[in-house]
């Protein structure tokens, strides 16, 4: 029975280490998400094909490479 009897749940506040670690991990997650969005965003949205722009062109077997 969870009523207002006074002996309810009293969680402790997080310590400095846990707050710092949570902020660091959260920031690194968002930096990674924005980095991947910058790299793969146009491909994901269909604005550019995945095989375009990686430096490999079509060339003949005996043709010199650029």
């Amino acid at each position: 029975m969870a009523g207002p009897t006074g002996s309810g749940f009293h969680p402790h506040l997080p310590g400095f280490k846990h707050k710092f670690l949570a902020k660091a991990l959260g920031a690194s997650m968002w930096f990674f998400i924005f980095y991947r969005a910058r790299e793969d965003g146009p491909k994901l949205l269909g604005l550019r094909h995945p095989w375009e722009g990686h430096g490999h062109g079509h060339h003949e077997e005996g043709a010199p490479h650029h």
Side-chain angles (χ1 to χ4, degrees):
M1 303 255 176
T5 61
S7 63
F9 178 66
H10 301 289
H12 295 276
L13 294 176
F16 175 76
K17 289 180 185 178
H18 288 113
K19 284 195 267 186
F20 180 79
L21 188 60
K23 287 181 183 180
L25 288 174
S28 63
M29 175 193 68
W30 281 110
F31 288 141
F32 179 75
I33 287 173
F34 288 134
Y35 170 75
R36 295 306 299 174
R38 186 183 64 175
E39 295 292 320
D40 294 337
K43 297 171 194 146
L44 183 64
L45 296 174
L47 302 175
R48 194 171 69 201
H49 293 292
W51 53 84
E52 291 177 354
H54 56 75
H56 298 287
H58 295 286
H59 54 273
E60 296 296 323
E61 210 42 53
H65 297 274
H66 298 298

